[in-house]
Amino acid sequence: MTKKKATIWDGNVRDAALTILLAVDKNQAYSNLLLNQTINKYNIDSKDRALLTEITYGTLQHKYTLDFYLEPFIRGKLDLWVRWLLRLSVYQIVYLNRVPDHAAVNEAVEIAKRRGHKGISSTVNGILRSILRQGIPSVDVIDDPIKRLAIQTSHPEWLVERFIESYGVEKTTEMLHENNVPPIQTVRVNTTKASLEEVLQLLQAEGIEAKQSNVIPECIHFVTGQASRTNAFKEGYITIQDESSMMPANVLNPQKGWRILDMCAAPGGKTTHLAEKMGNNGSILATDLHPHKLDLVDATSKRLGLNIIQTAPIDGRKAAEYLEAESFDAVLVDAPCSGLGVMRRKPDIKYTKREEDFESLHRIQVELLNNAVKVLKPGGRLVYSTCTVNSSENEETVHAFLASHPEMELIEIENLPEELSERGQSGMLQVFPQDFGSDGFFVAAFRKTT
């Protein structure tokens, strides 16, 4: 099958979604970064943006399941764009009650005509109408329980197997289903500018429905509206951040006047949280391997009115070569990781990660921690965190680090609500997506004894 040169179908939500899905597949692009670009490129009306987001993320999240539904109806080879168009259409038919089936089919046929030719549109029409007549197959016909769970929740079999080995069937099943639930929009209150109650009043005045979290005190859940479009955001009263990623700054529990190193700082969410916890009193050195990413830290600091943060392009694995030994009161290592805890925000992760990635990530994480020790004062605090639920990057990294550093000891997790701290074990805390509707996240706290 041939494809015409793609032209932008101004304002068409489904064609825009198809463009994003193809870019994710072919170019390993991130769906969350493409979304805003595509909204502007396609001139998507504000009332249609939620639908674009839903069908893009939904199709990605359920890719394996959608392929299972399509398999009995496809004969022969299909071009990549046609397969994605069919996935996109079946997602609407199966998962979106408010989109009429005939509308999903008609839109798909029109897109096929514009992007291909009459033969392709006839194929698309035939497959989708056959699905409407006959219905989708049941996953219950899959005998292998791991494969059945993988297809049902649209995760790679190797990953499902790995999770089950680490956490058991029940917890894994809950997590995989939760990964397909749209995330809650959460923000952090900038406590150097206003109290949580004052920010809630500001949002209410803007017509935003929001409420305080039951878990992290400085966290607000948005019920309606977009945080980035509010005056509260533009004027620096709030920062967009997942609730789980508010844990590291709390666990580090920095005090006014401290000198802190944030070794993997970009884009600056945790860095600025540390500054807020310190009352903008002290100093923070925010480093990152990629110099251009530090611009994001500077921009966020400026928007929030925080002036104690300095940035420097330093590879954390070589930090001890550039920074004075034992000169920091505390160090945060929010390490590069597989991101398996944020798959509902970035569903493309579960299709691009490979098991062999974990070993190289583990080595990088240990190197970062080795350098953190050298620049940390005796008695200083070190917090290690990741946004993954993979034990080799979390508990195993911690144990490998401790084995080579007798001067470091795990300390009890502190400064978190009881609901969270009671989940911790021996200075380590693993949060799962299903625990309180946030990202999967890991945090460990250490003290340097000598």
Side-chain angles (χ1 to χ4, degrees):
M1 291 182 181
T2 58
K3 182 186 176 185
K4 294 177 185 174
K5 184 179 180 181
T7 56
I8 292 173
W9 190 349
D10 217 36
N12 189 285
V13 172
R14 291 162 181 84
D15 196 63
L18 180 56
T19 297
I20 296 172
L21 293 167
L22 285 167
V24 169
D25 195 326
K26 292 193 291 187
N27 307 326
Q28 303 291 293
Y30 284 118
S31 52
N32 60 320
L33 299 179
L34 285 170
L35 199 59
N36 280 334
Q37 296 172 18
T38 307
I39 285 171
N40 295 328
K41 191 176 178 182
Y42 271 76
N43 292 318
I44 301 298
D45 194 281
S46 57
K47 64 180 174 58
D48 293 326
R49 289 171 186 174
L51 178 61
L52 174 61
T53 302
E54 185 169 9
I55 62 177
T56 302
Y57 279 100
T59 303
L60 271 174
Q61 283 165 334
H62 296 279
K63 175 184 169 185
Y64 289 158
T65 316
L66 296 168
D67 283 347
F68 175 77
Y69 292 155
L70 279 164
E71 187 179 5
F73 301 95
I74 293 177
R75 302 287 181 268
K77 189 178 179 182
L78 294 175
D79 283 356
L80 182 66
W81 72 272
V82 180
R83 187 170 286 276
W84 274 112
L85 177 58
L86 289 168
R87 288 169 179 152
L88 181 69
S89 305
V90 174
Y91 173 75
Q92 295 169 77
I93 291 168
V94 175
Y95 295 97
L96 295 187
N97 293 330
R98 70 177 186 275
V99 176
D101 293 346
H102 66 85
V105 174
N106 292 341
E107 283 277 352
V109 171
E110 288 303 311
I111 291 170
K113 284 179 184 175
R114 290 176 68 103
R115 288 187 177 243
H117 53 69
K118 189 176 180 181
I120 296 177
S121 64
S122 296
T123 299
V124 168
N125 186 53
I127 290 171
L128 294 178
R129 294 201 180 279
S130 293
I131 289 173
L132 292 182
R133 284 195 308 271
Q134 299 174 38
I136 55 173
S138 170
V139 295
D140 293 338
V141 301
I142 303 172
D143 293 328
D144 184 322
I146 289 179
K147 183 176 182 180
R148 184 168 60 247
L149 183 58
I151 294 297
Q152 187 181 49
T153 63
S154 194
H155 288 74
E157 280 184 59
W158 68 265
L159 189 56
V160 175
E161 194 166 1
R162 188 182 183 96
F163 282 153
I164 288 174
E165 286 174 5
S166 297
Y167 307 118
V169 174
E170 185 178 350
K171 183 165 282 190
T172 295
T173 301
E174 289 178 3
M175 176 168 60
L176 299 183
H177 281 291
E178 188 71 22
N179 282 344
N180 292 328
V181 175
I184 302 165
Q185 185 181 189
T186 57
V187 300
R188 187 189 78 233
V189 172
N190 180 1
T191 50
T192 67
K193 280 197 169 186
S195 68
L196 185 134
E197 291 74 18
E198 288 169 333
V199 171
L200 284 173
Q201 288 173 8
L202 287 173
L203 293 172
Q204 187 178 23
E206 292 192 57
I208 302 293
E209 186 181 349
K211 60 182 181 179
Q212 182 179 11
S213 166
N214 294 324
V215 183
I216 300 290
E218 61 266 40
C219 179
I220 287 177
H221 291 191
F222 268 53
V223 180
T224 63
Q226 286 183 276
S228 61
R229 295 177 179 273
T230 63
N231 290 326
F233 176 83
K234 294 169 186 172
E235 294 170 11
Y237 289 98
I238 57 174
T239 291
I240 299 167
Q241 188 179 23
D242 183 75
E243 191 161 7
S244 287
S245 66
M246 298 179 198
M247 294 194 303
N250 276 295
V251 172
L252 191 67
N253 199 14
Q255 303 301 304
K256 289 182 178 181
W258 277 14
R259 184 171 188 241
I260 294 178
L261 172 64
D262 186 352
M263 289 182 75
C264 309
K270 299 175 187 67
T271 317
T272 51
H273 195 189
L274 289 168
E276 290 165 9
K277 302 294 284 185
M278 296 163 70
N280 202 32
N281 182 334
S283 68
I284 298 174
L285 179 62
T287 65
D288 200 90
L289 174 62
H290 306 287
H292 68 280
K293 290 186 177 181
L294 291 171
D295 293 341
L296 299 172
V297 182
D298 291 330
T300 301
S301 302
K302 184 177 180 181
R303 180 176 60 82
L304 297 173
L306 302 170
N307 58 20
I308 65 168
I309 298 168
Q310 289 184 308
T311 57
I314 297 174
D315 182 345
R317 294 170 294 181
K318 299 177 181 178
E321 297 177 23
Y322 299 99
L323 303 175
E324 184 183 350
E326 299 188 339
S327 60
F328 291 92
D329 297 291
V331 179
L332 173 62
V333 180
D334 184 55
C337 70
S338 60
L340 297 181
V342 298
M343 286 190 283
R344 62 179 172 178
R345 292 182 189 278
K346 300 177 182 178
D348 17 311
I349 285 175
K350 58 186 173 183
Y351 310 118
T352 56
K353 291 297 175 185
R354 298 290 177 264
E355 204 158 7
E356 51 267 28
D357 297 339
F358 298 143
E359 184 55 40
S360 60
L361 285 166
H362 170 79
R363 286 196 299 271
I364 291 169
Q365 291 154 358
V366 171
E367 286 180 53
L368 289 167
L369 289 167
N370 289 343
N371 275 266
V373 173
K374 294 175 183 177
V375 300
L376 183 65
K377 292 179 181 178
R381 294 173 66 89
L382 167 62
V383 165
Y384 170 70
S385 62
T386 72
C387 59
T388 191
V389 287
N390 176 38
S391 56
S392 70
E393 299 175 76
N394 295 340
E395 293 88 350
E396 289 177 31
T397 293
V398 168
H399 292 312
F401 168 63
L402 288 172
S404 59
H405 290 281
E407 75 275 30
M408 298 300 294
E409 64 176 5
L410 281 167
I411 55 176
E412 288 302 312
I413 300 289
E414 65 176 41
N415 201 38
L416 285 180
E418 188 177 345
E419 181 182 346
L420 281 176
S421 58
E422 65 185 10
R423 295 174 185 270
Q425 293 183 336
S426 305
M428 294 182 278
L429 171 63
Q430 176 71 72
V431 168
F432 295 91
Q434 68 268 28
D435 287 345
F436 57 100
S438 68
D439 290 344
F441 214 90
F442 176 84
V443 64
F446 308 86
R447 180 187 294 115
K448 189 173 184 179
T449 57
T450 55

